[in-house]
Amino acid sequence: MSIYINQDLLQFHLTNGQISYIFYIGPTHQPVQLYTGPHIEDADYTFLEHQQSRPVSNYMIENDTTFSHEHTLMEYPSFGSTDFRSPAFEVRHPDGSHITNLEYEHYEVRHQAPVLKDLPHVRQSQQNVETLIIYLIDPVSQLRVKLYYSLFDDMNIIARHTEFENTGVNTLTLTRALSMNLDLMSDSFSLVHLSGAWGRERHVTQQSLSPGTFEIQSLRGHSSHLHHPFFALAQPNTTEDSGLVYGMSFAYSGNFLGHVEVDNFNKTRASIGIHPEYFSWQLTPGTQFTTPQAYLAIGLAGFNDMSQQFHRLVHTYLIAPQWRNHPRPILINNWEATYYDFTEDKLVAIAEKAKELGIEMFVLDDGWFGSRNNDQEGLGDFFINKTKLPKGLQHLNQRINDLGLDFGLWMEPEMVNKQSKLYAAHPDWVIQTPNRTMSHGRYQFVLDYTNPDVIDYVYHEISNILDHTNIKYIKWDMNRSMTEVFSSRWPTEQQGEIYHRYILGLYDLLHRITTRFPNILIESCASGGGRFDLGMLYYTPQIWTSDNTDAYQRQWIQYGTTYLYPISTMGTHISKSPNEQEHRLMPLTTRANVSYFGTFGYELDLTTLDQATLETMKQQVTFMKTHRSLLQFGKFFRLLNPSHNEFTAWMVVDADCNRAIVGVYKHLNTINNGRHRVVLKGLDPSAHYHIPELDLIMAGNALMAIGIDIPDTSNGELRNGEAKTYDFDSWLYTLERV
Ligand code: DGJ
C-alpha cells in the first residue's frame, strides 16, 4: 500500500496494489481527478487532463482559453467559477456572494485512519491504513478545507470525508457540504441503487444513465425505507462476477443525497453526502464542521466483488470489535405473538417453549412501559406498566433467566406520545414549528435530540433500566419520519442545523450507552428497515431488516440488502403462516431457509403450535447453532436474482473453502418448464465436496461450472422416487470438502 506523491507535478496516487486513485493540483490550484480504477503503475498522468478551446466556454485563467472547470474532472468542485455542474459544497459569504475557490496549500500523510469526533468512522483496528489529507484554502474568506482519503491494504475502499474550518474573521454559512465527489471520464455506466418502501425495502434497481441528473435522497430525517444511502455506477455488461463497479455509500442515518450527473461531454459526476435541502451550518470564526464519512468501493470483478468490499468494511472496520465474530443469539420476540396484550405468565409460557427448542434469548417487545396498551400512549415513559407486569421488569427478567434464556427488551427512545407523563412535563421537548400543525406519525412525536437535556433524560432512563436488570439485548426502534422540523432551542440562523444536530444527538446517546454497556447487543429498527445504514451499524451491530417477515418477499429484501451488508447484520425471524403482513401461506422449511441467512430468530406464539411443528423448529435451531458461524461470517455470494429468475439462490463459503451452504428458493410452480441448475461460486476449484442432501461428491470446478440440479418437479413428470414440489418450496445444501 502506498501513496505516491510527485512533488513536481503535485500528483497524488493512492494505491493498494489492486486499485489506483490519482489526482493532481491543476492550473487553478484546485485538485483535479485523473484516474480511478484498477491499479496502474505510478507515472505522470497529468496528460489525462487534456483541455482544448471550445465554443461558449469560460475560463478562470486570464488569457488562457483552454482550461475550464466545466471540462475538467474536479476533485471537490465548487459552483460558479466555470463549473456549471452541481458542486460538492457551497458557502454563503457575509456579503451574500457564494463563490469560493479552494486553492491547494499543502498535504499530510498519516499512517492511521482519522477519528471523526461525534460521527461513525472506520475504527483503528490494524496498521494497514494510510490517510492522505489535502489542505485547501479560499484566500478571500480564509475558509480552510481538508479532504481526507484513507486507503486500506485489505479492501478496495477509499474512505473520505471533508473538514471545513473558518480561519477568517467573518461568519460563513455552509449551505452544502457533501462528503465525497467523484468525477469520471466516461458516461457509459448503468446506475444501481436500492429502492422500496415499508415492507419491501432495498429492492435492487438498475437503469442506464443518460445526460441529465439522477438523485436518490431522504428528507425524512432518517435514511428511510424508500431510498438507500448507496448507489453504484457499473460499466456496461457488468455482472455479479465481472466488470468494473464504483459503489458509493455513506455512514449516516439522516437526510442524504446521492447525486449522479452526466454532462454533455461524456463525463459523469457522482457525489454523496448530507442532503443540502434544509441544511445550513453557521461557521463562526474559529469553528469547524466535519462531514460524515463516505466510502468508495471499487469492485474489480462485478457486483459481488463490490459487495465483498463493503462486507469487509462493515465487519472489520465499522462494527464494534466485541461483536465482530460474535455469533448472534437465536431469539424469540413476542411482538407478532401477543402485540400489546400480554401478562408475565403468558410471556414466560412462550419462553418455556422457546427453551425447549434451544432458543437462547427472549425479547420483550413493545407494551411493557407507562400506559402503553396500544400505539396511542406511553412513549417517552420508561417506568414499568404495572397492570401487565405487576412484579416489575426484573422479576420477569429473572424468570426468563431461570429458564436458562437471556433477556432482551424493546424500546423507542426517540419518541413521545401526547398521552404520557413525559409529554405532560415537557411539551417543549418535541421537534415542532411554532404556530404550525404538529403532524403525528403512529400518534407519536419526535423528541428534540438537539437538546442535551433530552439526551440526558433518555440516557438516564435507559441506564436506570439496564443497571437494575440483567438485560443482554436492546431492540432500539424508531417509528416515524420527521415533520415540521424546528427547535426553539436554537436561533433563527441555526435552524438549518436541526436535522443534522438531531443525528449528532442520536449518535451521542448511542455512544454513551454503548460505552457504558459495551456488552449489551443493540439491534436497531425503524418500522423494520427504515434506518438500515452504515451509521447505525457503527453502534448497533444488527438491524431489523424489515417488518415484512414473509419469506417470499424477504428474498428480494435480503438479496438487495446484501449489496452492502454482511449476513450477521440482518435481523431475520420465522413468523407464522399465513403471514401477518402478506397473508401468504409459506412452508415452515422455507421460512427457516430464508431466516438462516441472517441473525435468525422466531416471532410467533410458540404456545399455540403442535408438537410436530415444535419438533421441526427444534431441529432448525440445532441446524442454526451448528452452522451459525459459517452462515453469519462466511463469504456471501448471490447466485440467482429473484427479479430475473424463477428461483432465488445464494450461498456462503467459509474462509478456507472447506464448507459452504447454499439456499435455493422457488417462486411459483411453472408447468412443463425445463429443469434448472444453479451454478455455485467461491469454492476451491481443486477440491471435492460432499453434498449429503444430494448424496453427491463433486469437484469444486464442476460445481462452479455445471452447478447442481434443482429438484423442482413442477416442470414435468416425476422421475423415479421424486416427490412433488409446490409453490415456495426451497432447498438447502451443506457442502463439505472431502
Ligand atoms: C415496529 C417494529 O418494526 C416491530 O418489529 C415492532 O417492534 C413494533 N414497532 C412495536 O411497536
Side-chain angles (χ1 to χ4, degrees):
M1 188 174 51
S2 299
I3 300 178
Y4 294 104
I5 298 166
N6 184 322
Q7 303 277 4
D8 298 330
L9 299 168
L10 282 177
Q11 177 183 279
F12 300 86
H13 178 179
L14 291 86
T15 181
N16 62 1
Q18 297 278 318
I19 55 169
S20 285
Y21 187 100
I22 308 174
F23 61 93
Y24 90 118
I25 306 302
T28 53
H29 312 291
Q30 301 197 22
V32 168
Q33 162 74 204
L34 293 170
Y35 170 85
T36 297
H39 166 75
I40 53 177
E41 74 166 6
D42 192 50
D44 175 357
Y45 291 106
T46 55
F47 68 90
L48 286 168
E49 185 269 287
H50 169 77
Q51 296 289 337
Q52 64 190 67
S53 206
R54 288 172 192 269
V56 203
S57 238
N58 303 270
Y59 309 97
M60 269 183 89
I61 305 168
E62 213 171 338
N63 299 324
D64 172 274
T65 57
T66 58
F67 185 82
S68 172
H69 287 173
E70 182 179 10
H71 300 294
T72 305
L73 304 181
M74 302 302 293
E75 195 58 20
Y76 197 68
S78 64
F79 180 84
S81 285
T82 77
D83 193 341
F84 301 96
R85 294 164 291 176
S86 286
F89 74 102
E90 268 202 302
V91 177
R92 200 166 54 234
H93 297 276
D95 60 2
S97 66
H98 59 88
I99 297 299
T100 310
N101 285 311
L102 297 175
E103 296 183 3
Y104 175 76
E105 278 193 309
H106 59 95
Y107 73 88
E108 184 188 340
V109 173
R110 292 187 193 155
H111 300 281
Q112 58 189 34
V115 174
L116 277 68
K117 198 173 158 290
D118 311 327
L119 285 164
H121 52 267
V122 293
R123 295 173 194 267
Q124 304 285 349
S125 50
Q126 18 218 304
Q127 301 300 310
N128 56 356
V129 187
E130 283 199 8
T131 301
L132 171 69
I133 309 167
I134 299 291
Y135 288 72
L136 308 167
I137 192 138
D138 174 37
V140 176
S141 65
Q142 293 297 311
L143 173 69
R144 172 168 290 125
V145 173
K146 295 180 212 166
L147 306 180
Y148 283 77
Y149 303 80
S150 293
L151 178 72
F152 307 80
D153 68 5
D154 59 349
M155 61 179 180
N156 295 336
I157 281 193
I158 293 174
R160 293 194 48 186
H161 77 279
T162 304
E163 269 175 29
F164 296 85
E165 185 186 357
N166 185 350
T167 64
V169 292
N170 294 314
T171 295
L172 306 172
T173 308
L174 266 178
T175 56
R176 186 180 181 101
L178 301 185
S179 297
M180 158 161 68
N181 180 82
L182 178 66
D183 281 1
L184 293 162
M185 209 184 329
S186 166
D187 60 357
S188 204
F189 295 110
S190 68
L191 172 73
V192 172
H193 64 108
L194 304 174
S195 168
W198 175 88
R200 51 180 173 85
E201 298 89 342
R202 292 177 297 287
H203 285 216
V204 179
T205 310
Q206 185 157 5
Q207 64 202 68
S208 311
L209 288 181
S210 55
T213 58
F214 181 87
E215 293 187 337
I216 48 164
Q217 64 174 41
S218 170
L219 285 169
R220 307 177 73 93
H222 56 111
S223 44
S224 97
H225 302 86
L226 282 75
H227 292 295
H228 203 68
F230 153 80
F231 61 86
L233 298 177
Q235 278 185 338
N237 305 320
T238 292
T239 68
E240 274 292 292
D241 308 301
S242 66
L244 180 64
V245 188
Y246 301 100
M248 281 192 174
S249 67
F250 190 35
Y252 192 61
S253 311
N255 290 351
F256 73 88
L257 174 71
H259 173 92
V260 180
E261 183 169 355
V262 176
D263 73 4
N264 298 63
F265 307 95
N266 311 103
K267 300 194 296 303
T268 302
R269 169 163 292 177
S271 49
I272 199 163
I274 292 177
H275 204 304
E277 293 276 347
Y278 313 108
F279 166 84
S280 64
W281 199 270
Q282 289 288 112
L283 268 184
T284 52
T287 59
Q288 293 194 357
F289 178 80
T290 303
T291 72
Q293 207 162 52
Y295 309 99
L296 169 67
I298 302 180
L300 299 172
F303 293 112
N304 200 279
D305 186 28
M306 176 200 71
S307 298
Q308 301 293 343
Q309 309 306 325
F310 281 130
H311 291 187
R312 201 163 303 138
L313 168 76
V314 173
H315 185 255
T316 314
Y317 290 96
L318 287 180
I319 298 276
Q322 65 271 33
W323 303 114
R324 234 164 247 165
N325 290 306
H326 194 281
R328 304 298 191 248
I330 299 174
L331 58 84
I332 172 88
N333 177 302
N334 74 308
W335 178 241
E336 289 192 11
T338 66
Y339 295 108
Y340 299 103
D341 185 17
F342 56 80
T343 60
E344 183 178 299
D345 284 346
K346 174 68 189 177
L347 300 176
V348 171
I350 295 174
E352 277 167 353
K353 284 285 173 207
K355 179 62 190 168
E356 283 170 26
L357 303 189
I359 289 173
E360 297 159 331
M361 178 182 281
F362 176 88
V363 175
L364 172 55
D365 210 280
D366 196 354
W368 56 267
F369 51 89
S371 56
R372 187 79 166 166
N373 296 315
N374 52 50
D375 57 9
Q376 301 182 15
E377 48 192 304
L379 286 177
D381 295 337
F382 288 80
F383 55 86
I384 199 78
N385 182 314
K386 286 272 183 191
T387 320
K388 284 186 247 185
L389 299 174
K391 295 183 178 153
L393 197 57
Q394 177 52 20
H395 190 264
L396 170 66
N397 189 151
Q398 191 58 54
R399 282 183 76 186
I400 301 288
N401 287 165
D402 289 347
L403 293 173
L405 292 176
D406 281 335
F407 183 60
L409 191 67
W410 177 98
M411 45 184 78
E412 192 172 355
E414 297 159 68
M415 300 290 159
V416 64
N417 288 118
K418 277 192 180 171
Q419 291 183 55
S420 65
K421 289 208 181 326
L422 180 67
Y423 189 80
H426 296 286
D428 55 320
W429 276 11
V430 171
I431 295 272
Q432 58 183 309
T433 302
N435 308 317
R436 299 286 171 187
T437 302
M438 195 164 98
S439 307
H440 71 93
R442 209 193 187 198
Y443 311 100
Q444 64 196 49
F445 303 90
V446 183
L447 286 171
D448 184 358
Y449 268 32
T450 74
N451 180 349
D453 295 342
V454 175
I455 302 286
D456 283 347
Y457 163 80
V458 178
Y459 172 71
H460 173 80
E461 293 297 307
I462 295 177
S463 301
N464 186 35
I465 291 171
L466 299 180
D467 281 340
H468 295 99
T469 50
N470 186 25
I471 284 170
K472 291 286 198 297
Y473 159 109
I474 294 172
K475 181 175 172 188
W476 185 295
D477 208 347
M478 195 285 292
N479 284 302
R480 65 158 290 185
S481 301
M482 290 186 203
T483 53
E484 294 94 27
V485 172
F486 184 96
S487 169
S488 47
R489 247 197 120 258
W490 297 89
T492 315
E493 59 279 11
Q494 285 187 274
Q495 289 302 322
E497 301 177 8
I498 303 304
Y499 277 112
H500 183 55
R501 285 195 183 275
Y502 180 93
I503 297 296
L504 292 179
L506 171 66
Y507 289 161
D508 175 38
L509 177 60
L510 285 166
H511 171 74
R512 287 165 71 180
I513 292 194
T514 51
T515 304
R516 178 152 168 200
F517 304 98
N519 295 318
I520 294 183
L521 175 68
I522 307 183
E523 173 162 350
S524 68
C525 170
S527 304
R531 204 164 57 184
F532 201 127
D533 56 61
L534 297 171
M536 289 308 287
L537 280 177
Y538 183 80
Y539 304 99
T540 75
Q542 61 189 57
I543 299 181
W544 183 224
T545 311
S546 174
D547 272 351
N548 191 344
T549 50
D550 166 52
Y552 180 57
Q553 180 58 230
R554 272 287 182 131
Q555 292 167 34
W556 277 259
I557 298 171
Q558 292 179 204
Y559 188 92
T561 305
T562 66
Y563 266 59
L564 283 119
Y565 305 103
I567 296 299
S568 62
T569 64
M570 291 170 19
T572 51
H573 295 173
I574 293 171
S575 63
K576 72 178 188 195
S577 172
N579 168 269
E580 287 281 282
Q581 295 79 32
E582 305 242 4
H583 316 139
R584 187 175 278 120
L585 285 160
M586 186 62 57
L588 179 55
T589 316
T590 295
R591 283 180 271 157
N593 288 349
V594 171
S595 295
Y596 290 138
F597 291 84
T599 59
F600 193 77
Y602 291 82
E603 186 160 343
L604 73 180
D605 188 351
L606 295 177
T607 66
T608 61
L609 304 179
D610 60 35
Q611 205 45 46
T613 305
L614 291 171
E615 210 39 60
T616 307
M617 289 180 168
K618 195 171 178 177
Q619 287 162 17
Q620 293 170 347
V621 172
T622 305
F623 178 89
M624 188 62 191
K625 285 181 178 170
T626 311
H627 300 286
R628 176 162 42 185
S629 291
L630 167 58
L631 286 159
Q632 294 180 344
F633 304 111
K635 214 169 168 183
F636 180 83
F637 295 87
R638 293 176 293 267
L639 304 178
L640 294 175
N641 182 338
S643 297
H644 304 153
N645 295 283
E646 291 161 43
F647 298 82
T648 306
W650 49 47
M651 69 184 288
V652 287
V653 185
D654 72 0
D656 303 324
C657 301
N658 286 335
R659 294 192 307 133
I661 298 181
V662 182
V664 181
Y665 313 87
K666 183 171 48 158
H667 303 165
L668 299 177
N669 271 359
T670 49
I671 195 72
N672 200 18
N673 209 338
R675 283 197 76 101
H676 298 275
R677 303 188 73 80
V678 56
V679 174
L680 307 191
K681 295 180 185 172
L683 301 171
D684 177 348
S686 59
H688 283 78
Y689 293 90
H690 177 220
I691 310 175
E693 295 80 5
L694 295 171
D695 193 20
L696 182 75
I697 291 179
M698 208 162 153
N701 54 17
L703 288 164
M704 292 193 290
I706 301 168
I708 51 178
D709 199 25
I710 302 176
D712 172 28
T713 56
S714 68
N715 47 16
E717 288 178 17
L718 299 187
R719 294 180 194 175
N720 272 352
E722 278 183 330
K724 280 187 190 164
T725 56
Y726 298 90
D727 292 350
F728 312 125
D729 273 349
S730 63
W731 301 270
L732 222 56
Y733 301 103
T734 52
L735 280 71
E736 189 130 22
R737 187 195 283 259
V738 290

